[in-house]
Amino acid sequence: MKKIKEIESKENFEKMSRMTNYIMNLNELTAEILEDVQGIEEDGFYCPLTEEAIQKVPMEERWHVKYYITYHMSTLLLKYYLQGHEEMYEQLVRTMQVCLSKQYIGHGYDDLSMQLHYLIKLYENGLNGFICSEEHSEMDRQFTSIIHEYRKKLASGNTKDGWGDLKEAIMRLLTYVDKDVLFVYGTLMDGERNGFYLDDCPIYGQGVVHGYQLFQLDGYPGMVVGNQDVVGELYHINDEVKRKIDVLESSQYKYSRDIVYMSDTCYYANFYEFLPVEDKRYTLAICVNHRWVDVSDYIWYACYGSNLFAERFQRYIEKTTSKAKPIASKAIMLPYELYFAQHSRRWNHGGVAFIDTDKKGMTYGWMYLITKEQFDEIQQMEGTWYQKKVTVSKDDLGIEIVTFTSFERYKEVEPSKKYLDAIRRGLKEKYHLFDSEIEEYLK
């Protein structure tokens, strides 16, 4: 094919249109086709017009007969090269570079849909396999930079352009780009018991997925569609790692994907979605800041005296070996009688709170989810008066709710005002009781 020098005549215009449509309708390349279109290739572009002629063409048509064609040919050249035609390497690289050139992104009307279409076609035809080598590192950086801008648009929700919404096209593009990105949210996270599966995998960092929730299963969580956020970690995995994790997760999970957000960017990542058994009841997992916590070594400590007041209880926590704050806390009514006994030097030699597990009652309590080690240490801090460990019950996750008191019922002793004031502050803080209700309870 020879380039058209001018298109003033109807005949030349029709010829240009035929040449343009011919190239745009190509789905396969052969040596014969390449030889046929070789004559219209110049500086990486495919265009049926000379440079002088194209300057006289309106911008919309100029884009169609120069840039769209080059995008299309770049995709076909990649496909042709990956089929084993290495002689097309230089031509492919040159054409791909002009397609990536900033000055040819968009056509003056802020339309990015054609570039997105081009990128999708490249990845569909094996771009990952082409740019992964060291010799294409610069080109890889260019693609990464362009795709990062689309990630930012998707993360911010700013996906509208002059010709519609780009969200679906961006997600389709990331389907190929992020095909090896895995979002983990439970025992596969760093530091958890199955984290070793991902020891050799690059980590992108922490991310959050919207519109899900975690069920607590037998020592691990399962993510299902819900109305909460779930925090986890993003990794780049290979086929071997995926096969091993598939075996770990077994048939109770399916491989799903969704948008995972990370500050100003996002990934369209894969994750293992739990498949609940129909009509079976599941309990929500315990999360801290939307991140799953393994509570197998935790216990609910139910207090009923001065430790109702959070500030005072924190002093005990700071004296424990780990100093870790409780990961959860909530109210509990202890079904035992409250009484005061002994003479505490700390509380002006007045009585302190005990419960009598042999007598029914209703005692205001507050329980903190702490480690078993912390509970044992706090019990030791309380001294010899509180050596009897009492298992009150278990929560929905099977975590023990425990407290402590004395083995025998001591003789009752009036508590000091200072000690009662600590309990009063705790009852107000936790239960928002009126003063009259508190005094009636303490009588």
Side-chain angles (χ1 to χ4, degrees):
M1 294 183 183
K2 291 184 179 180
K3 284 181 179 282
I4 300 172
K5 295 182 179 180
E6 50 86 19
I7 60 168
E8 279 78 4
S9 69
K10 180 179 179 181
E11 180 183 353
N12 278 351
F13 186 84
E14 290 176 350
K15 184 179 179 182
M16 177 196 72
S17 298
R18 285 196 302 273
M19 292 167 65
T20 300
N21 290 331
Y22 169 68
I23 295 174
M24 289 296 292
N25 288 321
L26 288 174
N27 290 316
E28 296 289 340
L29 285 182
T30 65
E32 292 75 18
I33 292 175
L34 276 170
E35 185 177 352
D36 191 30
V37 299
Q38 189 77 22
I40 63 168
E41 189 275 330
E42 182 179 301
D43 296 331
F45 285 106
Y46 283 83
C47 179
L49 301 176
T50 62
E51 190 63 33
E52 294 78 15
I54 200 168
Q55 297 302 321
K56 300 177 183 180
V57 177
M59 175 58 74
E60 304 93 293
E61 191 64 28
R62 189 186 310 173
W63 184 256
H64 182 68
V65 299
K66 183 174 183 179
Y67 306 146
Y68 280 14
I69 287 178
T70 306
Y71 279 168
H72 183 70
M73 284 300 298
S74 174
T75 303
L76 290 177
L77 285 168
L78 173 65
K79 185 177 180 180
Y80 190 72
Y81 171 79
L82 292 176
Q83 288 174 349
H85 296 272
E86 297 183 0
E87 71 276 7
M88 300 311 305
Y89 176 77
E90 295 296 335
Q91 189 173 347
L92 166 62
V93 171
R94 189 166 65 251
T95 303
M96 199 176 289
Q97 285 174 338
V98 298
C99 289
L100 290 175
S101 178
K102 291 183 179 179
Q103 66 192 82
Y104 301 118
I105 295 174
H107 60 28
Y109 296 93
D110 297 325
D111 175 27
L112 294 171
S113 59
M114 189 59 203
Q115 187 192 56
L116 269 171
H117 177 75
Y118 167 60
L119 291 171
I120 290 168
K121 287 296 182 182
L122 284 180
Y123 279 97
E124 281 181 344
N125 285 283
L127 180 65
N128 273 329
F130 177 74
I131 61 174
C132 64
S133 64
E134 189 174 336
E135 62 181 313
H136 298 132
S137 58
E138 178 57 37
M139 189 176 292
D140 189 13
R141 281 192 290 271
Q142 286 181 279
F143 277 108
T144 300
S145 177
I146 292 172
I147 291 168
H148 180 64
E149 293 302 315
Y150 285 116
R151 292 189 192 278
K152 288 168 62 177
K153 283 181 175 293
L154 188 59
S156 66
N158 181 28
T159 57
K160 300 285 180 65
D161 79 340
W163 297 85
D165 197 330
L166 303 173
K167 181 177 180 178
E168 288 189 11
I170 295 173
M171 290 175 65
R172 186 179 172 191
L173 170 63
L174 295 182
T175 298
Y176 299 100
V177 180
D178 296 341
K179 68 183 184 65
D180 296 322
V181 178
L182 179 67
F183 175 73
V184 297
Y185 51 84
T187 63
L188 286 166
M189 289 194 295
D190 185 35
E192 298 295 340
R193 66 176 183 274
N194 290 321
F196 66 90
Y197 280 91
L198 299 168
D199 279 349
D200 297 325
C201 298
I203 181 171
Y204 296 110
Q206 191 177 89
V208 59
V209 61
H210 303 311
Y212 292 86
Q213 62 190 25
L214 296 180
F215 286 151
Q216 182 65 42
L217 307 175
D218 188 15
Y220 53 91
M223 190 163 82
V224 297
V225 174
N227 57 3
Q228 299 177 11
D229 295 339
V230 175
V231 171
E233 296 166 349
L234 282 162
Y235 291 86
H236 187 276
I237 63 171
N238 55 40
D239 291 340
E240 182 182 358
V241 171
K242 183 181 182 301
R243 281 193 295 271
K244 291 178 180 178
I245 297 177
D246 284 344
V247 173
L248 173 71
E249 303 295 7
S250 70
S251 60
Q252 62 182 333
Y253 290 88
K254 69 175 181 178
Y255 213 50
S256 300
R257 69 188 314 165
D258 208 334
I259 303 171
V260 180
Y261 296 89
M262 301 174 66
S263 59
D264 69 337
T265 188
C266 66
Y267 288 82
Y268 193 44
N270 302 284
F271 62 91
Y272 288 90
E273 181 181 352
F274 177 63
L275 299 173
V277 177
E278 190 174 353
D279 297 328
K280 183 176 180 179
R281 180 178 177 272
Y282 294 92
T283 302
L284 289 178
I286 291 178
C287 297
V288 176
N289 296 326
H290 307 292
R291 180 185 174 116
W292 175 75
V293 177
D294 182 0
V295 293
S296 58
D297 193 42
Y298 278 75
I299 198 167
W300 286 107
Y301 162 47
C303 58
Y304 50 84
S306 59
N307 280 343
L308 285 169
F309 188 38
E311 182 181 317
R312 173 162 176 73
F313 181 66
Q314 182 58 30
R315 296 176 195 168
Y316 280 90
I317 290 296
E318 290 171 357
K319 294 178 182 178
T320 63
T321 302
S322 71
K323 296 181 173 55
K325 292 182 179 181
I327 62 174
S329 69
K330 56 184 177 181
I332 184 173
M333 294 299 291
L334 297 171
Y336 312 115
E337 181 185 274
L338 174 72
Y339 73 99
F340 301 93
Q342 297 292 25
H343 295 274
S344 171
R345 293 174 58 188
R346 182 183 303 165
W347 298 106
N348 299 332
H349 298 281
V352 289
F354 293 87
I355 52 172
D356 187 340
T357 56
D358 293 326
K359 291 191 176 182
K360 293 182 180 181
M362 291 296 288
T363 296
Y364 283 107
W366 196 264
M367 55 186 190
Y368 302 93
L369 191 56
I370 59 177
T371 67
K372 294 174 183 177
E373 179 186 47
Q374 285 180 306
F375 174 81
D376 291 340
E377 290 177 340
I378 291 172
Q379 186 176 15
Q380 290 303 310
M381 291 179 206
E382 291 287 15
T384 57
W385 294 342
Y386 295 93
Q387 291 300 301
K388 181 181 179 181
K389 179 180 175 181
V390 180
T391 299
V392 181
S393 62
K394 291 184 178 181
D395 71 0
D396 291 340
L397 296 178
I399 304 173
E400 274 192 312
I401 302 172
V402 297
T403 188
F404 39 69
T405 186
S406 58
F407 279 106
E408 59 179 298
R409 178 161 181 142
Y410 297 124
K411 180 181 178 181
E412 294 190 36
V413 175
E414 186 78 16
S416 67
K417 180 180 181 302
K418 181 181 178 183
Y419 185 73
L420 289 178
D421 282 345
I423 296 179
R424 290 184 181 104
R425 288 196 295 269
L427 290 172
K428 277 196 172 184
E429 177 185 74
K430 298 300 193 301
Y431 287 95
H432 309 290
L433 299 178
F434 293 112
D435 290 343
S436 57
E437 294 174 306
I438 294 174
E439 296 311 314
E440 179 65 26
Y441 169 70
L442 292 177
K443 283 199 300 187

